[in-house]
Amino acid sequence: MKLQALTPIDMDIRGMAPADSASVHVESLKSSLYMRLVFGGMLVLFLLCTFASPLGYILPATFAGLLCIGMWRHAQVITGPVIALGLALIWILYRASVPEGADFSNYETYEKLVWLKAVLQAICYVPLVIAGFRLSMTDAGALMAGFKWGVLALAALALFEALTQARIYMALADALGMPIRPDLAVVKISLMSYGLMMIYWPMMLYFNQTGANLPRVLLTASVAIAPFFTGANAPTLALVASVIIFFVARRWSTLRGVGIEKYIAIMVYGVILGFPLLIKFAHEQGWLVALKSNLPPSWLARVEIWEYAANRLFEKPLMGWGFDTSRMFSPHIPLHPHNMPVQAALELGYVGLVLVAVLWLVSIRRVGKTPDAQIISPDHLLWTDPKPYMLATMTAFFVFAFLSFGMWQEWFLALAAMSIFIALMTQKASLQVIMYQNKL
């Protein structure tokens, strides 16, 4: 049996091997105790924050990013996304401003500089992604050995809390002397579904490879049922959308010789650029009047926010109103428009929106070059393609960004960075499982 060692940059899907041979893509990276400690700690905090407070995601993502800041020297593994992100940050800085009379001796002044936080997050979070590419299979397997049990415990907890309306969360709050209203407690535990949904497909990749049926059933039940009992609509929509993309990508990995990720990337690019125009056009045609009369309160609020923001953004369509200026439109826009394309266009104009769309375009296309966990055995029976799982994960994040959260919310971006790391970790851990099963 022939083994072929490749670097992470070269680890592309090569296609089917000849019938009389097998090929295994193996990374030539050394195991690192430092990587295990840093990211082991990050993963533990990720699980704890998913239950206790998603806002806490900032802590593990920032510290892990700082502790692996040297990964920037390997930025060539994601050259396209890094360049696109850099251009977007330059435009953000150009359209940002410093409050008049700002007192830089006061910490609160820095807290209000969202553009500064955006830059610092890019500096800290990008190394997490790069580290995912640089992680060795041995380290990935060691990290997954504990993380998988933590995920299953979290999934069971999320399901129990949803069915009992936050029974454990309220008991802990009472024990800590911080009682919380039952309805607010349910809102708090509903956020667990967002974190679980972001790691659902990577974990399914791993569990599918190990053939573990019970973990797959438990995890799926949690992401499918818990949102129903907590009233969280976005995770349910994210699950439905990601399931569609998963099966499309698995059925047509390539279409007319072109990777399916390129078609999806172009589609997302068009949606980002076209959505504000669509809202504006629907408003002018009077379509939104009939639509809003048939919407539940939460969706009605979203559509009204998008409608107002779309009208205001076309007052300054090219340059936008300025970075993080969504807040100035209160009460019509509470904090942010709850929609990535609308917020980007409103604040950064169509120049900024194009840069955001390009970042998504190159990031989705990069999925076709991620470290693949594939083995072609002589009988062609063993095959694990991570691409559908990764595209499904990006779909879930896109749905959340499109419906729920602001573009610059630190915890949401921290969740994205850690989810990418986890996705890459599961790919390599899955490959290690395949190699172990076949004694390679």
Side-chain angles (χ1 to χ4, degrees):
M1 182 170 290
K2 181 181 179 181
L3 299 182
Q4 184 179 8
L6 302 175
T7 66
I9 303 175
D10 294 327
M11 292 173 67
D12 300 334
I13 295 176
R14 304 291 196 235
M16 299 296 286
D20 58 349
S21 66
S23 65
V24 183
H25 292 177
V26 183
E27 296 172 89
S28 56
L29 299 177
K30 295 181 179 179
S31 176
S32 167
L33 177 61
Y34 182 79
M35 293 279 273
R36 295 190 193 188
L37 292 175
V38 169
F39 295 112
M42 184 191 78
L43 294 174
V44 169
L45 289 176
F46 170 86
L47 295 171
L48 291 175
C49 290
T50 300
F51 171 68
S53 175
L55 296 179
Y57 285 144
I58 303 168
L59 181 66
T62 300
F63 275 100
L66 288 173
L67 290 173
C68 68
I69 197 73
M71 284 292 167
W72 269 106
R73 68 183 184 274
H74 302 296
Q76 70 273 14
V77 299
I78 49 171
T79 301
V82 166
I83 293 175
L85 177 61
L87 293 174
L89 287 174
I90 291 173
W91 185 250
I92 285 173
L93 293 176
Y94 178 69
R95 298 298 295 138
S97 61
V98 178
E100 281 187 44
D103 180 9
F104 287 97
S105 64
N106 190 336
Y107 170 77
E108 291 183 358
T109 299
Y110 295 94
E111 181 64 25
K112 294 177 180 178
L113 299 179
V114 180
W115 57 266
L116 177 60
K117 291 190 285 186
V119 172
L120 293 177
Q121 287 174 88
I123 293 173
C124 293
Y125 296 169
V126 171
L128 294 184
V129 178
I130 299 173
F133 284 94
R134 298 293 301 173
L135 193 68
S136 70
M137 280 191 298
T138 303
D139 290 339
L143 291 171
M144 279 297 297
F147 185 66
K148 64 183 179 184
W149 296 111
V151 170
L152 293 176
L154 185 65
L157 179 61
L159 191 57
F160 178 83
E161 287 290 82
L163 295 174
T164 62
Q165 296 293 281
R167 180 176 178 179
I168 295 177
Y169 191 94
M170 287 194 294
L172 289 174
D174 289 338
L176 295 173
M178 298 182 293
I180 185 172
R181 283 177 14 210
D183 57 331
L184 293 180
V186 172
V187 171
K188 292 289 186 181
I189 62 104
S190 71
L191 295 176
M192 295 175 66
S193 296
Y194 292 87
L196 281 171
M197 189 64 240
M198 284 302 301
I199 63 172
Y200 171 74
W201 289 106
M203 295 305 299
M204 288 297 285
L205 168 65
Y206 181 79
F207 290 137
N208 284 341
Q209 188 55 58
T210 59
N213 290 321
L214 184 58
R216 285 182 289 189
V217 171
L218 174 59
L219 190 56
T220 301
S222 181
V223 298
I225 297 174
F228 178 79
F229 286 92
T230 59
N233 295 320
T236 299
L237 292 174
L239 178 61
V240 172
S242 62
V243 165
I244 294 172
I245 293 298
F246 173 79
F247 283 106
V248 168
R250 193 168 72 167
R251 173 62 180 84
W252 296 285
S253 180
T254 59
L255 191 60
R256 297 183 181 275
V258 179
I260 192 65
E261 73 279 357
K262 295 181 180 179
Y263 292 102
I264 295 174
I266 293 172
M267 179 182 68
V268 169
Y269 182 84
V271 169
I272 291 175
L273 294 183
F275 189 76
L277 292 169
L278 176 62
I279 293 295
K280 177 68 172 175
F281 181 75
H283 168 77
E284 293 175 347
Q285 298 298 313
W287 297 344
L288 295 182
V289 176
L291 176 65
K292 289 188 292 185
S293 64
N294 295 291
L295 290 175
S298 61
W299 286 99
L300 174 61
R302 281 179 171 85
V303 172
E304 288 182 337
I305 292 170
W306 299 344
E307 184 179 18
Y308 176 83
N311 287 324
R312 297 307 302 266
L313 75 86
F314 282 104
E315 294 175 16
K316 298 183 178 182
L318 186 63
M319 305 287 285
W321 288 84
F323 179 70
D324 200 37
T325 51
S326 293
R327 299 171 185 270
M328 67 179 273
F329 295 104
S330 178
H332 302 285
I333 301 177
L335 298 179
H336 54 79
H338 296 76
N339 181 278
M340 176 184 59
V342 170
Q343 183 176 359
L346 179 67
E347 298 181 3
L348 304 174
Y350 254 82
V351 173
L353 187 62
V354 167
L355 293 175
V356 171
V358 168
L359 176 58
W360 273 91
L361 178 72
V362 297
S363 297
I364 295 175
R365 290 191 59 177
R366 183 64 181 82
V367 171
K369 298 180 181 179
T370 52
D372 56 299
Q374 62 164 306
I375 289 186
I376 314 300
S377 65
D379 54 7
H380 291 175
L381 292 178
L382 299 176
W383 170 261
T384 301
D385 184 1
K387 186 162 65 174
Y389 297 85
M390 302 308 113
L391 290 172
T393 301
M394 298 186 78
T395 301
F397 181 76
F398 184 79
V399 170
F400 293 152
F402 207 86
L403 298 176
S404 299
F405 305 115
M407 289 183 64
W408 324 122
Q409 289 184 271
E410 297 98 318
W411 74 269
F412 186 48
L413 297 177
L415 171 61
M418 290 190 291
S419 297
I420 296 172
F421 175 87
I422 291 169
L424 293 167
M425 176 183 72
T426 57
Q427 289 183 41
K428 298 189 177 187
S430 298
L431 177 55
Q432 186 187 52
V433 170
I434 299 173
M435 295 180 67
Y436 176 78
Q437 290 173 343
N438 293 272
K439 298 179 176 58
L440 298 177

